[in-house]
Amino acid sequence: MTILQGIIFDMDGVLCDSEPFIIEAASQMFAERYHLTVRHDDFLPFTGAGEDRFIGGVAEKYGVKLSMPADKQRTYDIYLQIIQGRLHPLAGAVEFIEKCHRLDLKCALATSADRVKMEGNLKEIGIPADRFAAIVTGSEIERKKPDPQAFEVAAKKLGLSNAQCIVVEDAVNGVRAGKAAGSRVLGIMTTFDDATLRAAGADWTAANLAHVPDDVLQTG
């Protein structure tokens, strides 16, 4: 088996649980701009696919033609306000990143979110961007998850192959993307359960980064 040298983290649902807040923000945007009441479950099929698809998929369901990028920007404006003092790192996230550094594993962040959301999240949860040797955001990726492009670009930025990296994901789209890139995948059960993540291809699952199976970070 290829020796582990890198960890590629998704952000939402892995380092922080921002999904309730982006859903709240998008719901406010739909109500404000289209007088439309949407449901939490409307967003679930589009989790991890980037904000264009996240709000676009819901708009399609209700027959709404979005005004982009203005509607997405309005969603972000609301989001960055409502996360203040409310968004926190998920259990074990900070400690797990530090453990990876102690093991000399290169860390990357690969998120479908746009850079403005990524920067807002990291600032709010207190994880400096420089803890990651590489960062890939939805702003620079043409093909969003479940396409593997984000993880392929992240590994390349680390100077590694995807086979040398483990991807940490919470969404079905992200797990599929990690496997398609050629990485082993740790599924975090903040959004989907064990059976769903394993059906998508996850090699391991954990409730959060405080409860990662011992064999995940074996580097020998």
Side-chain angles (χ1 to χ4, degrees):
M1 183 177 290
T2 304
I3 295 175
L4 175 64
Q5 296 190 46
I7 306 290
I8 305 176
F9 295 89
D10 177 44
M11 178 177 63
D12 297 320
V14 171
L15 303 182
C16 56
D17 188 10
S18 65
E19 295 299 340
F21 301 113
I22 195 64
I23 288 174
E24 181 181 338
S27 297
Q28 284 189 35
M29 183 279 293
F30 278 115
E32 175 185 298
R33 292 189 168 225
Y34 299 100
H35 307 291
L36 179 67
T37 300
V38 299
R39 297 181 300 111
H40 180 281
D41 289 351
D42 292 334
F43 294 93
L44 289 182
F46 313 108
T47 299
E51 261 59 60
D52 286 58
R53 187 64 185 146
F54 193 70
I55 63 174
V58 175
E60 289 173 10
K61 176 178 179 177
Y62 288 96
V64 169
K65 183 173 176 58
L66 292 176
S67 176
M68 297 290 269
D71 287 343
K72 181 170 69 170
Q73 184 57 55
R74 179 56 185 153
T75 300
Y76 280 143
D77 289 344
I78 297 169
Y79 175 82
L80 292 174
Q81 291 178 346
I82 65 177
I83 64 171
Q84 294 180 24
R86 298 173 66 193
L87 183 67
H88 307 287
L90 283 171
V94 174
E95 295 81 2
F96 188 80
I97 291 171
E98 295 310 312
K99 183 175 182 179
C100 290
H101 280 281
R102 290 196 300 272
L103 293 172
D104 291 325
L105 295 171
K106 295 181 178 180
C107 293
L109 180 65
T111 174
S112 295
D114 290 344
R115 181 164 289 273
V116 61
K117 183 184 178 191
M118 180 274 293
E119 291 176 344
N121 282 0
L122 291 184
K123 178 181 179 181
E124 195 64 28
I125 66 177
I127 298 178
D130 63 11
R131 298 311 286 153
F132 303 100
I135 291 178
V136 179
T137 70
S139 307
E140 58 197 279
I141 295 297
E142 294 178 4
R143 302 185 304 278
K144 303 299 192 295
K145 304 168 189 175
D147 189 278
Q149 186 181 22
F151 295 131
E152 291 170 346
V153 171
K156 185 175 182 180
K157 284 187 174 185
L158 290 177
L160 302 174
S161 70
N162 282 97
Q164 294 173 302
C165 300
I166 285 174
V167 163
V168 186
E169 262 286 355
D170 73 300
V172 167
N173 284 329
V175 172
R176 289 173 176 162
K179 296 302 290 186
S183 295
R184 288 172 290 163
V185 177
L186 168 63
I188 301 298
M189 294 183 287
T190 49
T191 309
F192 298 94
D193 62 17
D194 173 85
T196 304
L197 293 172
R198 288 189 182 275
D203 298 275
W204 308 270
T205 62
N208 50 49
L209 288 173
H211 296 92
V212 175
D214 292 339
D215 61 332
V216 171
L217 293 184
Q218 288 181 355
T219 57

